Amino acid sequence: MLLLALDTATPAVTVALHDGETVVAESNEVDARRHGELLLPAVDRVLGEAGVTLDAVTGIVVGVGPGPYTGLRVGIVTAATFAAALSVPVHGLCSLDGVAYAAGQAGLEGEFVVATDARRKEVYWARYADARTRVTEPAVDRPAEVAGQVAGLPAVGAGAVLYPDSFPGVRAELPQHQSAAALAALAAEKLRTGGEFLPDQPLYLRRPDAQVPANYKVVTPQ
């Protein structure tokens, strides 16, 4: 088994290789505006560090969000393209689940909440019974609307750090952005135990910022 994992649902452009037992190589860069520029060089860098070529990969793992429209589609389209070119399966995972799994690897136990920055003064969030078990569907809300549902819970992620008044249990020392290494480790665990994956379709949860104009200005030739 050699899994290539990638995620662009958060400001992190993150890529990792996992051999089914451990992370072989990884790359993490935080830049919310350069997902398209950074992702493929990161894949090349990770493959080079591991000393393998792309055709050695046996499966693709991708975070399917929730995340902002432009960044999220970069990772998903890239994952689908690699999978088609290599004739290997693509395994979709909720990006919030990757952050939760990383928090568990860092020592967080019990129930907690993951919140990432959704921009527009909103967060993407979900509650977890533990690092492997999500108990609510991913949602996008204003932090103040979430506060009552997460009161008393530890909170992980950049969204929680950004809005500490709504997430008073924020654990800023734990992972704030996605880690493809954690995502790959979670996928490897699911493959060993027969766990379920999501289709490689984006979880946008809301309409994109860019909209087609409702009325076009009509210009007639003179």
Side-chain angles (χ1 to χ4, degrees):
M1 179 190 298
L2 187 62
L3 300 174
L4 174 65
L6 51 94
D7 192 295
T8 56
T10 73
V13 179
T14 178
V15 178
L17 276 174
H18 196 287
D19 65 6
E21 297 295 332
T22 189
V23 175
V24 179
E26 63 179 303
S27 171
N28 300 287
E29 298 176 83
V30 178
D31 191 329
R33 298 181 180 276
R34 300 178 62 214
H35 293 94
E37 296 175 48
L38 297 176
L39 183 57
L40 289 180
V43 172
D44 286 340
R45 188 163 54 250
V46 165
L47 291 171
E49 182 180 331
V52 300
T53 56
L54 186 60
D55 58 7
V57 170
T58 60
I60 308 294
V61 180
V62 64
V64 298
Y69 180 82
T70 303
L72 182 56
R73 64 180 179 174
V74 170
I76 293 177
V77 169
T78 301
T81 301
F82 282 158
L86 298 171
S87 297
V88 299
V90 57
H91 308 293
L93 289 172
C94 173
S95 296
L96 297 175
D97 292 357
V99 178
Y101 192 83
Q105 291 182 316
L108 185 60
E109 299 180 350
E111 190 174 1
F112 61 95
V113 59
V114 172
T116 60
D117 183 15
R119 305 175 187 172
R120 303 186 193 175
K121 298 183 179 180
E122 294 179 328
V123 293
Y124 297 116
W125 69 284
R127 286 178 59 160
Y128 290 79
D130 55 50
R132 294 173 173 81
T133 311
R134 178 162 40 84
V135 294
T136 65
E137 291 297 317
V140 58
D141 291 294
R142 290 189 176 275
E145 297 170 346
V146 177
Q149 302 177 62
V150 303
L153 292 178
V156 181
V161 172
L162 193 58
Y163 301 103
D165 289 346
S166 297
F167 297 92
V170 60
R171 297 284 300 275
E173 78 280 9
L174 294 176
Q176 295 185 28
H177 300 298
Q178 180 63 284
S179 160
L183 203 69
L186 176 59
E189 186 176 298
K190 284 179 173 286
L191 287 169
R192 288 194 301 268
T193 60
E196 296 183 354
F197 292 93
L198 298 173
D200 57 339
Q201 299 297 317
L203 295 174
Y204 291 131
L205 300 189
R206 67 185 183 200
R207 297 169 91 61
D209 292 328
Q211 299 289 332
V212 176
N215 297 300
Y216 292 95
K217 182 179 180 180
V218 178
V219 179
T220 57
Q222 296 297 322

